[in-house]
Amino acid sequence: MTVIVPLIAVLLIGVSQLVSGIARPTAEAAIIGYVDELGGFQQYTSQGNITLVRFDTPGDATDALISGDINEYFVIPPDYISTGVINRYTLEKQLTASPAVTAVINNFLLNNLLAGKVPAATIARIEAPLNVVSTRLTETGAVAPEQGGYGALIIPFVFSILLALSIIFSSTYLLQGLGEEKENRLIEILLSSVSARQLLTGKVLGIGAAGLVQVTVWVISAPLLLNLASSSIGGFISTIRLPPNFIALAVVYFILGYLLYAVISAAIGAISSSSREGQQLIGVFTIPALIPLWFTSLLMFLPDNPVWVFFTIFPLSAPVEAIMRLGVSAIPAWQLVASIGVLVLSIIGILLLTTRVFRTYLLMYGKRPGVGEVFRSLRSG
Amino acid sequence: MCYNANKERTVTMQAVDVSHIIKSFADKVVVNDLSFSVAQGEIFGLIGPNGAGKTTTIRMMMDIIKPDSGDVTILGEKLSEATKNKLGYLPEERGLYRKLGVLDSIIYLASLKGVDAHSAEERANELLNQTGMLPHKGKKIEELSRGMGQIIQFIVSVIHDPELVVLDEPFAGLDPVNVELLKGMLFNLRNQGKALILSTHQMNEIEELCDRILMINHGRLVLYGNLAEIKSRYRSNSVLLEFEGELGEVPGVAEKRTHKGYVELALDGNATPQQILERLVSRGIVISRFEIATPPLNEIFLRVVGEDHE
């Protein structure tokens, strides 16, 4: 899984580029024919790698298309000015022109229509009239150090997905390991060599180390993947920036989030009779880690809704939610303190409860104790 | 045949000293005020019917579970993490990592007992060779037969040269060749001064291997002590006789039971076996076997468990 996730990302990028036709943007020089029935469209016939060739009649253009001299052609009808209709002819099944061809035809028409009537600079502006540059100001009117926007969102968003995946995979590994040891009756040999607490700690730290290696591989592969994807997202890469304190908070939330789910998995592994049963039970707990990802778009448009405060403090969703919110808006200090505090207390609390039931139920094979029985064990220790 | 401990060995401390341990699960008392000790250099039998509390007792000795009250002292020390490295354990419910190789499994489990990888490999090769398992050391556990897996588990329980080895049903699932192999290894360990606790339902194995036994039922001690003494306590005051000639009426014999190849003479309350032997010899009967009958352990087991049940 460590390597599969980046590989899947590479595959997705490749497929999306192939499908959108951007993988070979204008590498092949294309020749597009046109028939000017309106008149006045003679200039600007060279647009990048695409050359436009004029034909006198649609019949000539069709012959050229069939013989392969041109890739496609379009006709500017006499009533074009009033209707805006352009008739395009192609041998391809796909009737919609690619974005590159559409842009070329658009610029060709625009330039010829405005040639000599307005300055060239104005034509260029009409082609691309809007390039919004937003600046976020603080309440004092100064330029805010944290400018927000999609550039700031991308890294927290990617990290929160990785964190949620890592939590789910690590929990599954831990459950599988414990389940196998219970099913194979190895647990008795292990407990005759180490204490239940040592076994629990070893499991959490061992799987944690594996989780960290996984995340490290993903984080290292992320810039490479972004580079690969850059052709499809253009200059967006240059706008990516880290929110303040992001790395420190990301590390804190990764460790706490991982520990929380590791101790929950250990408790479930102890009371489950098989690894399959354990994985069904852990699903109930991993769903809250995924909830923030489901509401990403709502978070972007309504960043100040109180519901996000709840998810930031609720321990099961806190790690993923807090990381995502860092990319959208600043999180008030009290919420961060409350979130981390509740997480730490939850981890300690669940760890204490887990150590009470861990030893007893690890040795109980074949049947899962009822809820009442577990509570009785917690009381008696 | 009963193998006795090395009497010349100076015993400085008990290998195991269990004092008044009690353990309950969900209000059911599983082990009830149990006390016993096991000396170094002896093979000690722990027997009892299913559900008697044997495994729970062993788990408390192994520090896998804690007693509700009472003390367990192993090799003169209170149970601790450090003590665990001196213990070897072959549990009744056993298994190994199925996907792991034989050698890797042994080395990993030895490392949990504080043995470094190099020493563990060296010793593993030695033990694999001794048990005829060396050709299989490169295999995965899942490729081994049940008996082979059990031999590997036995190796795991002794690879760290423990002072005390607890074996729960060690012969279950082994073929006769491997049973003999294992017995030989147990005697070797005993001769090295190790204490061995053997829990099994196979009474003949206990009779053959053990010096002393503890029988528990419903979590309580019902028999404890030297095996020969226990058997003599349960003897039925009869003698087994193989002879040539006519036996006739023998004074002091209350009943004569004929078995295949021998006769069992039940003595009345007044005669001793010595007197009976003298009377038979004086009649000129040729005696090829004269043995004071002691019941097999299996019979004692059934009798004690039956009495305890009533």
Side-chain angles (χ1 to χ4, degrees):
Chain A
M1 198 50 76
T2 308
V3 183
I4 287 174
V5 169
L7 285 179
I8 289 174
V10 169
L11 190 69
L12 289 177
I13 292 166
V15 168
S16 81
Q17 288 182 338
L18 278 174
V19 169
S20 62
I22 296 168
R24 40 186 178 90
T26 46
E28 270 181 46
I31 301 172
I32 297 177
Y34 73 96
V35 179
D36 180 12
E37 293 177 343
L38 174 63
F41 291 86
Q42 294 93 17
Q43 303 175 62
Y44 307 104
T45 52
S46 180
Q47 304 262 349
N49 287 335
I50 297 180
T51 306
L52 291 112
V53 179
R54 185 172 176 280
F55 290 88
D56 291 333
T57 66
D60 294 345
T62 304
D63 292 341
L65 178 64
I66 291 166
S67 63
D69 294 338
I70 58 173
N71 300 78
E72 59 182 79
Y73 76 90
F74 60 93
V75 176
I76 307 165
D79 58 352
Y80 164 66
I81 297 295
S82 59
T83 64
V85 171
I86 291 289
N87 299 304
R88 176 171 165 266
Y89 299 91
T90 173
L91 295 175
E92 302 293 328
K93 277 184 184 169
Q94 192 207 6
L95 281 174
T96 312
S98 72
V101 169
T102 307
V104 162
I105 298 174
N106 189 60
N107 286 347
F108 169 74
L109 295 171
L110 193 72
N111 279 287
N112 277 296
L113 283 170
L114 296 177
K117 293 171 188 155
V118 292
T122 308
I123 296 176
R125 201 62 308 113
I126 292 169
E127 279 180 12
L130 187 66
N131 181 15
V132 179
V133 179
S134 303
T135 303
R136 184 166 162 247
L137 301 179
T138 63
E139 284 168 4
T140 61
V143 175
E146 202 276 287
Q147 287 292 315
Y150 293 109
L153 178 68
I154 189 78
I155 287 183
F157 183 67
V158 170
F159 189 87
S160 57
I161 293 176
L162 292 178
L163 178 57
L165 285 176
S166 179
I167 281 173
I168 291 169
F169 292 145
S170 307
S171 305
T172 311
Y173 289 152
L174 202 152
L175 276 170
Q176 270 176 355
L178 261 180
E180 192 189 339
E181 282 161 358
K182 273 189 89 169
E183 284 165 33
N184 283 350
R185 311 292 192 244
L186 246 169
I187 208 78
E188 203 148 340
I189 294 182
L190 296 178
L191 286 177
S192 72
S193 304
V194 296
S195 68
R197 194 184 299 125
Q198 284 174 326
L199 184 62
L200 182 63
T201 313
K203 290 272 171 209
V204 170
L205 292 183
I207 305 280
L212 268 176
V213 168
Q214 191 169 56
V215 168
T216 308
V217 170
W218 292 350
V219 166
I220 289 171
S221 61
L224 304 172
L225 293 171
L226 286 173
N227 261 340
L228 266 180
S230 62
S231 55
S232 46
I233 49 178
F236 183 62
I237 300 285
S238 62
T239 69
I240 288 178
R241 59 197 167 269
L242 284 173
N245 302 326
F246 176 77
I247 292 180
L249 284 170
V251 169
V252 167
Y253 274 109
F254 175 84
I255 292 170
L256 293 180
Y258 175 77
L259 282 177
L260 177 73
Y261 275 92
V263 289
I264 290 174
S265 305
I268 288 177
I271 62 170
S272 308
S273 60
S274 67
S275 56
R276 192 196 295 170
E277 189 182 77
Q279 280 166 36
Q280 285 167 355
L281 276 174
I282 193 72
V284 176
F285 294 91
T286 48
I287 287 170
L290 296 172
I291 286 176
L293 298 176
W294 297 345
F295 297 122
T296 309
S297 54
L298 276 176
L299 174 67
M300 281 162 60
F301 292 116
L302 303 163
D304 299 321
N305 196 296
V307 111
W308 314 129
V309 179
F310 170 77
F311 283 136
T312 307
I313 295 172
F314 182 59
L316 294 175
S317 58
V320 176
E321 182 68 35
I323 296 293
M324 284 187 72
R325 277 185 71 197
L326 281 174
V328 180
S329 63
I331 304 177
W334 73 266
Q335 288 181 24
L336 282 176
V337 171
S339 166
I340 292 172
V342 169
L343 256 177
V344 170
L345 289 176
S346 306
I347 292 164
I348 294 171
I350 297 171
L351 185 65
L352 288 176
L353 296 179
T354 304
T355 45
R356 289 172 87 101
V357 294
F358 196 63
R359 196 202 308 236
T360 307
Y361 291 112
L362 276 180
L363 297 168
M364 189 180 279
Y365 312 122
K367 77 176 184 87
R368 183 162 58 82
V371 178
E373 201 177 326
V374 173
F375 276 110
R376 272 199 301 281
S377 305
L378 288 175
R379 276 207 309 275
S380 65
Chain B
M1 179 169 56
C2 188
Y3 294 78
N4 293 316
N6 186 352
K7 303 292 184 202
E8 289 172 11
R9 197 165 173 277
T10 309
V11 177
T12 50
M13 66 175 120
Q14 298 287 4
V16 179
D17 208 342
V18 171
S19 173
H20 302 289
I21 52 168
I22 297 176
K23 183 71 188 174
S24 305
F25 291 120
D27 304 330
K28 188 187 173 208
V29 182
V30 180
V31 174
N32 193 356
D33 196 22
L34 193 61
S35 299
F36 64 93
S37 61
V38 181
Q40 289 175 307
E42 80 166 333
I43 302 181
F44 185 83
L46 177 59
I47 57 177
N50 293 328
K54 299 188 297 292
T55 301
T56 304
T57 304
I58 291 173
R59 282 176 177 173
M60 284 190 277
M61 281 193 283
M62 291 289 109
D63 199 29
I64 294 173
I65 52 176
K66 306 272 185 199
D68 298 337
S69 64
D71 291 314
V72 178
T73 310
I74 301 287
L75 302 162
E77 295 170 30
K78 279 266 186 195
L79 268 178
S80 68
E81 293 314 313
T83 328
K84 282 188 170 181
N85 287 355
K86 298 177 187 169
L87 309 181
Y89 180 34
L90 177 72
E92 183 183 8
E93 306 242 31
R94 40 191 166 243
L96 292 163
Y97 295 104
R98 293 175 51 76
K99 300 282 178 197
L100 205 59
V102 167
L103 194 60
D104 289 340
S105 299
I106 299 173
I107 292 172
Y108 169 66
L109 291 168
S111 74
L112 296 182
K113 293 287 191 186
V115 185
D116 66 83
H118 179 71
S119 314
E121 186 171 354
E122 217 169 86
R123 179 121 170 92
N125 280 322
E126 200 180 298
L127 287 165
L128 285 168
N129 187 36
Q130 218 174 322
T131 51
M133 291 291 291
L134 205 52
H136 306 288
K137 76 170 184 180
K139 287 185 179 170
K140 285 185 178 173
I141 295 296
E142 64 186 358
E143 295 172 56
L144 301 181
S145 70
R146 186 164 172 242
M148 285 174 168
Q150 196 158 324
I151 295 285
I152 300 301
Q153 293 241 301
F154 174 74
I155 290 175
V156 166
S157 65
V158 297
I159 188 158
H160 53 294
D161 196 24
E163 292 298 314
L164 167 68
V165 187
V166 178
L167 306 158
D168 201 350
E169 292 293 352
F171 305 111
L174 288 185
D175 63 39
V177 176
N178 280 327
V179 167
E180 286 310 308
L181 176 82
L182 199 58
K183 280 181 191 170
M185 293 180 82
L186 297 186
F187 290 138
N188 278 343
L189 288 168
R190 197 273 318 271
N191 292 339
Q192 289 165 25
K194 317 286 188 197
L196 289 98
I197 297 178
L198 192 65
S199 174
T200 176
H201 286 118
Q202 287 161 289
M203 296 301 151
N204 57 329
E205 310 293 3
I206 293 278
E207 280 184 281
E208 185 181 343
L209 294 165
C210 297
D211 310 304
R212 293 190 312 129
I213 62 158
L214 166 71
M215 187 194 287
I216 54 176
N217 195 20
H218 302 307
R220 283 181 291 109
L221 183 152
V222 287
L223 274 181
Y224 173 52
N226 184 288
L227 184 56
E229 282 169 17
I230 288 172
K231 287 183 80 167
S232 100
R233 210 188 306 159
Y234 278 84
R235 73 181 182 199
S236 54
N237 199 25
S238 58
V239 294
L240 308 180
L241 184 70
E242 280 181 48
F243 63 98
E244 285 170 22
E246 189 59 42
L247 196 59
E249 284 297 314
V250 184
V253 173
E255 194 188 344
K256 195 163 56 177
R257 290 187 283 265
T258 306
H259 298 279
K260 197 175 178 184
Y262 68 95
V263 172
E264 183 180 353
L265 306 179
L267 312 191
D268 63 21
N270 303 320
T272 65
Q274 183 67 31
Q275 289 168 334
I276 300 296
L277 180 61
E278 282 166 6
R279 285 168 197 166
L280 292 173
V281 172
S282 65
R283 287 190 187 184
I285 293 172
V286 181
I287 298 166
S288 53
R289 176 187 172 199
F290 184 88
E291 183 184 330
I292 297 168
T294 50
L297 186 57
N298 198 40
E299 203 177 303
I300 299 175
F301 180 93
L302 291 173
R303 203 189 301 175
V304 171
V305 170
E307 282 166 7
D308 203 46
H309 200 68
E310 283 162 9

